[in-house]
Amino acid sequence: MAKWGEGDPRWIVEQRTDGTNVNNWHWTERDVSSWSSVLLRDLLLGVSLKGPEGVVELTEVDRLEGESSINNRRGKLFFFYEWRLRASWLGTSSSGVKFRGTVDVSNLSDENDMDDLDISVSLCKDQPDTPLLGLMKKTGVQEVRRVLGEFVRRLKSEFSQGMILAKADQPEPPEPQTQKNQTQTNRPQTQKNHIQTSRPQKSSDPRCSSGPAPSLPGVPIKTCSFNLTETFQTSPDELYRTFISQEFVQVFTRSAAQVDGRRGGRFQMLDGSVRGEFTQLVPYRRIEMRWRFRTWPSEHYCTVSLELEERGDETELRMECGGVPEGEEESTREGWTRFYFRAIKQVFGY
């Protein structure tokens, strides 16, 4: 099986013999309109220009209408999207005079190439003519076309990768054990090092040790640990609920999930590829859990601790992960960064 973040799209479920869609034979569809609208808005509001005429930036997305979906037919992906949008721009001439206008795109669609997009730029009705309009029509149109192309690229790359799920003839993995003493089985014994950065980073010195695998008593397996630090534009209580609420988890993973947000409560998400149990919950401050990925040795769980600390209008999350099977550290780190942190930011705007 491929590692987390590689291979088949994560929403393609290869169901067992008592279900349908075995080996992706039937047509499946996933709506990604909410994800698309968030990304389109972020990309457009990042457009800014500077030239001899002055500076221009897109300040607001006034209209964003459309939809996006991905369909799978016998393991092949088909991307469908159609959007109409309007954004406002604010320009400041070289002499300091401000001008306002709009940019419209009427046919962002899977049926049109980027060069075929109809992008129109205009001044607001009460605005006098300005060289900034020429800057927008030339350089601005090119930049808008570029970010819309980035949207299409991200749409296809984000949803063309994921976990390869179990084949139909493979047994379902067993439910996680609930014994409390197993929480300590794979906890790293070395001192943990925090990485102080606003973006997810790998620990500078991944730590590996040997510990007994629960499924093979007396036979040690090597495990590793790592730390991540991330900053979210939200409060600790809101971020805390995002991780333990079934409704929130289903939104940012874009798939069905089972989450019992209590101490001792179990969770299962991403079509059963991730499961575990909450071992300690300190409201709005700390979440501890036993966590495993489907391809790991049977009944082997790592320990995950999420510390939340308010920093002004932001929340810093410090993650400590220990007991990861050797060789799985990179894919586990990448999976948390991509399918938890990045997904939460893209969906909720944190």
Side-chain angles (χ1 to χ4, degrees), residues 48-63:
S48 61
L49 312 169
K50 185 176 183 180
E53 305 88 342
V55 295
V56 181
E57 61 180 0
L58 298 190
T59 58
E60 188 174 353
V61 178
D62 305 300
R63 183 178 69 184

Side-chain angles (χ1 to χ4, degrees), residues 190-210:
T190 55
Q191 182 178 2
K192 300 177 176 62
N193 300 318
H194 292 294
I195 300 176
Q196 300 300 327
T197 176
S198 61
R199 300 182 62 186
Q201 301 287 339
K202 67 175 70 176
S203 53
S204 58
D205 182 20
R207 298 168 298 283
C208 295
S209 60
S210 295

Side-chain angles (χ1 to χ4, degrees), residues 231-333:
T231 300
F232 294 85
Q233 302 287 334
T234 189
S235 61
D237 57 331
E238 194 72 23
L239 187 58
Y240 177 87
R241 285 193 292 268
T242 302
F243 281 98
I244 69 166
S245 166
Q246 177 168 305
E247 180 181 1
F248 278 66
V249 171
Q250 289 185 142
V251 171
F252 76 76
T253 61
R254 305 180 185 91
S255 62
Q258 298 177 2
V259 181
D260 183 356
R262 299 174 296 178
R263 180 178 180 179
R266 298 179 180 179
F267 57 84
Q268 179 175 297
M269 62 188 70
L270 294 168
D271 298 325
S273 292
V274 169
R275 61 177 62 200
E277 177 187 358
F278 295 113
T279 57
Q280 185 69 36
L281 295 174
V282 180
Y284 318 135
R285 292 176 53 194
R286 185 171 68 254
I287 301 171
E288 295 182 5
M289 67 185 82
R290 298 167 59 242
W291 187 99
R292 66 172 271 107
F293 188 62
R294 150 179 280 167
T295 59
W296 289 4
S298 178
E299 290 306 305
H300 183 91
Y301 291 81
C302 72
T303 59
V304 174
S305 173
L306 304 177
E307 293 279 350
L308 311 180
E309 182 176 351
E310 185 174 7
R311 294 185 177 274
D313 58 352
E314 300 177 339
T315 298
E316 182 181 81
L317 181 151
R318 295 186 297 273
M319 172 184 175
E320 297 179 355
C321 184
V324 178
E326 186 179 39
E328 298 288 339
E329 179 202 358
E330 187 64 32
S331 60
T332 303
R333 181 192 297 109

Side-chain angles (χ1 to χ4, degrees), residues 9-80:
R10 63 182 180 272
W11 63 86
I12 297 177
V13 184
E14 298 181 15
Q15 296 183 1
R16 312 274 161 179
T17 54
D18 58 347
T20 59
N21 202 32
V22 175
N23 296 323
N24 305 316
W25 184 263
H26 301 292
W27 185 281
T28 58
E29 179 177 353
R30 178 162 296 278
D31 180 77
V32 292
S33 300
S34 297
W35 177 91
S36 297
S37 64
V38 171
L39 180 58
L40 280 168
R41 192 177 300 273
D42 289 346
L43 290 172
L44 289 168
L45 294 181
V47 172
S48 61
L49 312 169
K50 185 176 183 180
E53 305 88 342
V55 295
V56 181
E57 61 180 0
L58 298 190
T59 58
E60 188 174 353
V61 178
D62 305 300
R63 183 178 69 184
L64 194 56
E65 303 171 347
E67 59 184 2
S68 299
S69 63
I70 301 97
N71 294 268
N72 170 64
R73 173 64 174 171
R74 299 180 66 179
K76 294 183 179 180
L77 290 179
F78 300 88
F79 297 85
F80 301 102

